[in-house]
Amino acid sequence: DTEVTQTPKHLVMGMTNKKSLKCEQHMGHRAMYWYKQKAKKPPELMFVYSYEKLSINESVPSRFSPECPNSSLLNLHLHALQPEDSALYLCASSQVKQANTEAFFGQGTRLTVV
Amino acid sequence: QKEVEQNSGPLSVPEGAIASLNCTYSDRGSQSFFWYRQYSGKSPELIMFIYSNGDKEDGRFTAQLNKASQYVSLLIRDSQPSDSATYLCAVNILTGGGNKLTFGTGTQLKVEL
């Protein structure tokens, strides 16, 4: 099973709303990632969790707040977003701290901020 | 200089031909290399990975890596219309914080009937 499941698939939110994106994997991976992808651009790394601890934050604005409650789950809490935050948000997982490890992506959440 | 560079295309090949996709990277510390396929509106799908210099074959796909030249490529034999997609080259560097996967801008491949 190489499945990473993300919910919801689509999300429309206002700039004053609070919402959360969820990601789940059961491959025993202890590294989980959030990426952001704008149209016709490559995915950009936002956060990395290793062993449920935040290990990389790519200078992401505080209106994005990640959380890793256990080894299978990863959340991204959203608050006071801007229209330019509209994008495809991708979760991925891999083995932790091994250079030769594949990262598997979920299907993404298409976020629209209005 | 971008960390991972790809020709954005589109690269058009006739059905049944070989498609050749190229990627260069700047960080000599890069340790592993991946090719992802992404259909419009969908998430990236891993199709090949390579860690060592040389060729790696999987079905119709062959990945080639030359670390001295900082170059990685993907060959798709017997191209099919279903191969039409954007192909993303990704380079992994193991840092103190974990794996950092950096993507190129992708090459759009069009396989024509």
Side-chain angles (χ1 to χ4, degrees):
Chain A
D1 180 11
T2 57
E3 189 169 329
V4 178
T5 303
Q6 289 186 245
T7 55
K9 289 185 170 51
H10 300 275
L11 178 63
V12 179
M13 62 183 290
M15 289 187 285
T16 59
N17 291 159
K18 287 185 181 181
K19 296 287 185 183
S20 297
L21 309 185
K22 297 184 182 301
C23 175
E24 186 170 5
Q25 57 86 18
H26 295 288
M27 293 180 277
H29 290 163
R30 301 299 294 277
M32 296 186 76
Y33 311 81
W34 281 114
Y35 282 82
K36 173 183 178 180
Q37 187 175 26
K38 302 281 279 184
K40 299 191 184 302
K41 298 290 186 182
E44 293 182 357
L45 182 64
M46 300 174 71
F47 302 104
V48 179
Y49 272 82
S50 301
Y51 296 114
E52 297 83 68
K53 294 190 188 312
L54 183 63
S55 56
I56 296 176
N57 178 340
E58 292 288 89
S59 302
V60 178
S62 60
R63 58 185 183 269
F64 295 91
S65 176
E67 177 197 21
C68 190
N70 62 53
S71 60
S72 299
L73 295 175
L74 183 66
N75 299 322
L76 186 63
H77 303 298
L78 314 172
H79 173 55
L81 295 193
Q82 302 298 308
E84 58 265 29
D85 296 321
S86 298
L88 180 66
Y89 287 83
L90 295 162
C91 173
S93 72
S94 75
Q95 299 291 343
V96 66
K97 294 191 177 181
Q98 291 182 23
N100 297 341
T101 179
E102 305 94 273
F104 296 96
F105 283 83
Q107 292 305 303
T109 295
R110 177 76 58 188
L111 174 68
T112 303
V113 181
V114 297
Chain B
Q1 182 185 8
K2 292 181 182 177
E3 293 182 65
V4 183
E5 295 207 47
Q6 295 180 255
N7 187 325
S8 61
L11 172 65
S12 294
V13 299
E15 184 178 5
I18 295 175
S20 178
L21 305 165
N22 304 314
C23 172
T24 58
Y25 59 95
S26 59
D27 191 329
R28 286 194 174 273
S30 303
Q31 293 156 302
S32 47
F33 308 87
F34 305 87
W35 284 100
Y36 286 85
R37 176 175 63 198
Q38 187 170 29
Y39 294 109
S40 181
K42 303 295 185 181
S43 67
E45 174 192 9
L46 181 65
I47 53 172
M48 285 290 289
F49 58 89
I50 188 165
Y51 311 137
S52 304
N53 277 328
D55 295 0
K56 179 181 178 183
E57 186 175 320
D58 184 0
R60 296 187 296 114
F61 300 98
T62 299
Q64 299 173 316
L65 174 61
N66 184 325
K67 289 188 177 180
S69 300
Q70 295 175 246
Y71 174 89
V72 58
S73 66
L74 179 71
L75 300 178
I76 306 175
R77 289 181 298 282
D78 188 24
S79 296
Q80 301 297 308
S82 58
D83 294 327
S84 298
T86 296
Y87 289 80
L88 297 163
C89 172
V91 172
N92 189 37
I93 299 174
L94 181 58
T95 70
N99 289 302
K100 290 190 69 172
L101 196 63
T102 301
F103 288 84
T105 52
T107 297
Q108 185 183 6
L109 174 66
K110 293 185 177 180
V111 180
E112 298 168 333
L113 296 171

